[in-house]
Amino acid sequence: MQNEVIVYSISDSLGETSQKLLSAVMVQYPNLVFHNNYKFPFVNQKEELLPILADALRDKAIVISTLVNHELSEVAKSFSRKTGLLYIDLMHPLFEIIHAKTGMQPIEEPGAVHKLDTEYFNRISAIEFAVKYDDGKDPKGFLDSDVVLLGVSRTSKTPLSMYLANKGYKVSNLPLIPEVPLPKVLEEVDKSKIVGLTCHPENLVRIRSNRLDSLGLHQSSSYNNLETIHKELAYSQEIFDHYGNFVIDVSDKSIEETAFIVEHHLKSL
Amino acid sequence: MQNEVIVYSISDSLGETSQKLLSAVMVQYPNLVFHNNYKFPFVNQKEELLPILADALRDKAIVISTLVNHELSEVAKSFSRKTGLLYIDLMHPLFEIIHAKTGMQPIEEPGAVHKLDTEYFNRISAIEFAVKYDDGKDPKGFLDSDVVLLGVSRTSKTPLSMYLANKGYKVSNLPLIPEVPLPKVLEEVDKSKIVGLTCHPENLVRIRSNRLDSLGLHQSSSYNNLETIHKELAYSQEIFDHYGNFVIDVSDKSIEETAFIVEHHLKSL
């Protein structure tokens, strides 16, 4: 049994699609070492492609292609057939199905996914929005938000905001701190847009202790004290009961998973 | 010729991989309407899967699967063979190649890609870092950054910072404004970590005018005046000459493309 594998990614654009697939595949093999730094973006000439394929063959590599150009993809396919190169084309099987179904051909424009269109500019301004209205910096932003995230410290408000912003949502967030009065404007926000974030107290102790460590503060403080955290979470539950009723427990959830739940909630409104 | 197509995405996790592929495919068919809101995440029972496949068949849909479970994937494959359902499995062709090459089988753990590991927590703290040190808010952050972005207003510093942060880089950025003196700490930053962003003056006029419009300010100002912009860009070029020599022209580039260039530069150091 071999416990290493070399993967080449070839694309006529950035190659993000094959990287995404590869990440999903790699985690399925915790005992296999993937050498996946063989990335060949912006390949658009047969003369560039052939030497890469020859190197891959020499390296006994697996090749993942997201080439949209039909001619290049045929070159790679025929090379693989002749030489036994392990080759996977992610795009053309779907292109063929779409052709069979609709008679349409792809425009074969590499990187068309990065078109600077309206949707793209909305995403950019959503990111700027989220940075501007992060951490309750300016509560006026709550009124223009698609979603307002509330939660005590370390319930992943900021990374969740940025992740959702990257998908085009206008997000603001507010830390809940028992001693600090809430901004009045929160009363004016549509309750369905308010999402509460909560977490198991024990998880929060651990996360906050790590946080203190990373700041070079190794003593315990009220910040990572279980009793204080219980009080903070009880306070945050009161706020959620008053201002909104949609609450997500983020314990053991990744940002992607929590974001998925938020999106699902927003779409159901 | 049919100009609409229905796409079902089936996954035992969130289904991000198939969405990524689908985005890349969709832009290749500007004249085809994709109904791709048929997303079925967290499918992990045969009893859930079969009705979805039956619906897909009825809807004459194309089905994209990222199911990692072998049994479920076999169920879908055999259903498609029997019924003629248009079915694409993104994961198993690669699993088979890896098996042929290494003898290894996937662990078949859905969503393993979202494991809350060290890399994941580094990404979270990189996002928090980028938010904290955005817009020159605290120049001390420059010293701990993997990259410091410099550029005049509207050269995409903030969205680029967040995009790179999401990949785990610690990023800070500083707006260049002719009248505002630069923070002294910039002199101490390793020059190879400083990246300048520039843009065609005409593009900047357009982008800034849109920006003013979006703020409800329809008059022209020095902000979107070509002559002022020329001066600002000349000033920024002086700064780049002094503090670093790596400059990216962001005109007509998407954030993804600019980020790709920055990453490539950082890896080459």
Side-chain angles (χ1 to χ4, degrees):
Chain A
M1 199 186 273
Q2 203 183 323
N3 59 4
E4 293 188 85
V5 64
I6 296 174
V7 183
Y8 276 48
S9 311
I10 305 179
S11 170
D12 29 26
S13 180
L14 298 178
E16 290 169 288
T17 309
S18 50
Q19 290 308 310
K20 187 88 186 172
L21 175 71
L22 201 52
S23 307
V25 167
M26 278 162 58
V27 288
Q28 298 296 330
Y29 297 90
N31 299 317
L32 187 57
V33 177
F34 285 81
H35 300 282
N36 65 326
N37 238 329
Y38 299 80
K39 298 177 195 167
F40 302 90
F42 305 118
V43 173
N44 44 44
Q45 301 287 334
K46 195 177 157 182
E47 293 68 32
E48 290 171 82
L49 177 60
L50 282 171
I52 297 170
L53 297 172
D55 285 351
L57 188 65
R58 187 204 55 210
D59 289 345
K60 299 189 174 61
I62 296 173
V63 177
I64 303 183
S65 155
T66 47
L67 293 165
V68 296
N69 181 283
H70 182 71
E71 199 194 322
L72 290 183
S73 133
E74 283 299 312
V75 166
K77 215 199 296 182
S78 108
F79 181 97
S80 310
R81 214 181 283 127
K82 270 184 251 163
T83 61
L85 176 71
L86 299 171
Y87 176 79
I88 286 199
D89 181 333
L90 290 184
M91 307 299 276
H92 286 80
L94 203 43
F95 287 172
E96 278 161 30
I97 284 189
I98 291 172
H99 183 251
K101 222 179 141 42
T102 67
M104 283 198 195
Q105 295 288 7
I107 52 173
E108 298 190 15
E109 196 181 299
V113 70
H114 300 114
K115 276 256 181 63
L116 307 178
D117 56 10
T118 316
E119 192 190 315
Y120 177 79
F121 286 110
N122 285 345
R123 242 181 71 205
I124 300 294
S125 69
I127 294 172
E128 290 170 339
F129 185 95
V131 172
K132 186 167 175 190
Y133 298 115
D134 179 52
D135 203 36
K137 264 180 287 196
D138 182 355
K140 283 197 304 297
F142 295 168
L143 296 173
D144 295 321
S145 301
D146 297 320
V147 58
V148 180
L149 306 173
L150 307 182
V152 303
S153 174
R154 299 283 111 189
T155 47
S156 72
K157 296 181 297 296
T158 296
L160 182 60
S161 297
M162 297 308 143
Y163 188 86
L164 286 165
N166 195 44
K167 297 194 143 201
Y169 294 97
K170 290 197 280 180
V171 189
S172 54
N173 72 70
L174 177 73
L176 297 179
I177 308 167
E179 308 81 48
V180 178
L182 293 170
K184 284 220 175 81
V185 69
L186 200 58
E187 292 283 357
E188 298 169 44
V189 178
D190 178 351
K191 288 194 177 189
S192 65
K193 293 185 176 176
I194 296 180
V195 171
L197 303 176
T198 191
C199 188
H200 291 317
E202 288 76 15
N203 286 39
L204 222 42
V205 170
R206 193 166 42 81
I207 297 169
R208 289 188 178 182
S209 301
N210 286 342
R211 174 66 170 171
L212 289 178
D213 279 355
S214 77
L215 296 171
L217 304 163
H218 299 287
Q219 68 275 55
S220 61
S221 76
S222 69
Y223 183 69
N224 61 349
N225 173 281
L226 185 59
E227 204 185 325
T228 322
I229 286 176
H230 267 292
K231 278 184 200 154
E232 282 186 47
L233 288 172
Y235 166 75
S236 76
Q237 191 55 55
E238 281 171 36
I239 307 293
F240 300 154
D241 291 343
H242 180 73
Y243 286 96
N245 44 20
F246 192 75
V247 179
I248 304 173
D249 183 343
V250 302
S251 317
D252 302 318
K253 281 196 188 71
S254 69
I255 298 302
E256 288 83 350
E257 287 161 324
T258 311
F260 183 87
I261 298 170
V262 173
E263 271 199 273
H264 189 80
H265 169 68
L266 294 176
K267 283 179 184 161
S268 73
L269 294 179
Chain B
M1 197 187 278
Q2 202 184 325
N3 59 5
E4 291 187 89
V5 64
I6 295 175
V7 183
Y8 276 47
S9 312
I10 305 179
S11 170
D12 31 26
S13 180
L14 298 177
E16 291 169 288
T17 308
S18 51
Q19 290 308 310
K20 187 86 188 174
L21 176 72
L22 200 51
S23 308
V25 167
M26 277 162 58
V27 290
Q28 297 297 330
Y29 297 90
N31 300 317
L32 187 58
V33 178
F34 285 81
H35 300 282
N36 65 327
N37 238 331
Y38 298 81
K39 297 176 196 168
F40 301 90
F42 305 117
V43 174
N44 45 43
Q45 300 287 334
K46 196 177 158 180
E47 293 68 32
E48 289 172 83
L49 177 59
L50 283 170
I52 298 170
L53 297 172
D55 286 351
L57 188 65
R58 185 203 59 209
D59 289 347
K60 300 190 175 62
I62 296 172
V63 177
I64 303 181
S65 155
T66 48
L67 293 166
V68 296
N69 181 284
H70 183 69
E71 199 195 321
L72 290 183
S73 134
E74 282 299 311
V75 166
K77 215 202 291 186
S78 109
F79 181 97
S80 310
R81 214 181 284 126
K82 271 185 249 162
T83 60
L85 176 71
L86 299 171
Y87 176 78
I88 287 198
D89 181 334
L90 290 184
M91 307 299 275
H92 286 80
L94 203 43
F95 287 174
E96 278 159 30
I97 284 189
I98 291 172
H99 183 252
K101 224 180 141 40
T102 67
M104 283 198 196
Q105 296 288 5
I107 52 171
E108 299 190 14
E109 196 182 299
V113 71
H114 300 113
K115 275 256 183 63
L116 307 178
D117 57 9
T118 317
E119 192 190 315
Y120 177 80
F121 287 110
N122 284 345
R123 241 179 71 205
I124 300 295
S125 69
I127 294 171
E128 291 169 339
F129 185 96
V131 172
K132 186 167 175 191
Y133 297 115
D134 180 51
D135 204 35
K137 264 180 291 197
D138 182 354
K140 282 197 304 298
F142 295 169
L143 295 173
D144 295 321
S145 302
D146 297 320
V147 57
V148 180
L149 305 173
L150 306 181
V152 304
S153 174
R154 297 285 110 188
T155 46
S156 71
K157 296 182 295 299
T158 296
L160 182 60
S161 298
M162 297 308 144
Y163 187 86
L164 286 165
N166 196 43
K167 297 194 144 203
Y169 293 97
K170 290 197 280 181
V171 190
S172 54
N173 73 69
L174 177 73
L176 297 179
I177 308 166
E179 308 82 47
V180 178
L182 293 170
K184 283 220 174 83
V185 70
L186 200 58
E187 292 284 357
E188 298 168 45
V189 177
D190 177 352
K191 287 193 176 187
S192 65
K193 293 184 176 177
I194 296 180
V195 171
L197 303 175
T198 191
C199 187
H200 292 317
E202 289 76 15
N203 286 40
L204 222 42
V205 170
R206 191 165 45 78
I207 296 168
R208 288 188 178 182
S209 301
N210 286 343
R211 173 67 172 173
L212 290 178
D213 280 355
S214 76
L215 296 170
L217 304 164
H218 299 287
Q219 67 276 53
S220 60
S221 76
S222 69
Y223 184 68
N224 61 350
N225 174 280
L226 185 59
E227 204 183 327
T228 322
I229 285 175
H230 267 292
K231 278 183 201 156
E232 282 186 46
L233 289 172
Y235 166 74
S236 75
Q237 190 55 54
E238 281 172 35
I239 306 293
F240 300 154
D241 291 343
H242 180 72
Y243 287 95
N245 45 22
F246 192 76
V247 179
I248 304 173
D249 183 343
V250 302
S251 318
D252 302 319
K253 281 194 188 72
S254 69
I255 298 301
E256 286 85 348
E257 286 161 325
T258 310
F260 183 86
I261 298 170
V262 173
E263 271 200 275
H264 189 79
H265 168 68
L266 293 177
K267 283 179 185 162
S268 73
L269 294 178

